[in-house]
Amino acid sequence: QVQLVQSGGGLVQAGGSLRLSCAASRNILSISAMDWYRQAPGKPREWVATITNGDSTNYEDSVRGRFTISRDNAKNTVNLQMNSLKPEDTAVYYCHLLMRGVNYWGQGTQVTVSS
């Protein structure tokens, strides 16, 4: 099993930046991919970004070029740097990993972008 503990987030004006972090309770070197998802009020949870253990990254179209996912294997953390934030980025953000067929989620972090 693994626990994911998130930090960061908050309230920012449009155009601003925030950084989210997700700390895993175990070594993440062996975990093939970690992700960030988000869920806006009244909408389903949606995928945002993925990073593999080879540091390959992929992004949802609306965040590509503004968000950067990274991982620090020494600290067992995955980060999401969010720049040029827009009001439509407002959501609860979740880190995620799939390990041995089990989905693990962080506790969620609110990101609110004011116009």
Side-chain angles (χ1 to χ4, degrees), residues 5-67:
V5 178
Q6 298 178 218
S7 60
L11 172 65
V12 67
Q13 289 188 333
S17 298
L18 287 172
R19 182 179 177 86
L20 305 180
S21 291
C22 175
S25 61
R26 56 160 285 167
N27 190 293
I28 64 173
L29 277 174
S30 62
I31 299 173
S32 61
M34 296 183 71
D35 320 282
W36 286 95
Y37 284 75
R38 65 185 179 186
Q39 187 167 19
K43 294 186 177 181
R45 192 170 297 188
E46 67 173 1
W47 168 77
V48 175
T50 295
I51 186 166
T52 70
N53 58 1
D55 285 337
S56 294
T57 59
N58 197 14
Y59 298 92
E60 192 270 331
D61 286 345
S62 70
V63 308
R64 186 174 292 113
R66 300 188 296 121
F67 291 11

Side-chain angles (χ1 to χ4, degrees), residues 22 33 37 52 76-77 91 99 101 107-108 112:
C22 175
Y37 284 75
T52 70
N76 297 324
T77 60
M99 187 173 67
Q107 80 274 20
T112 303

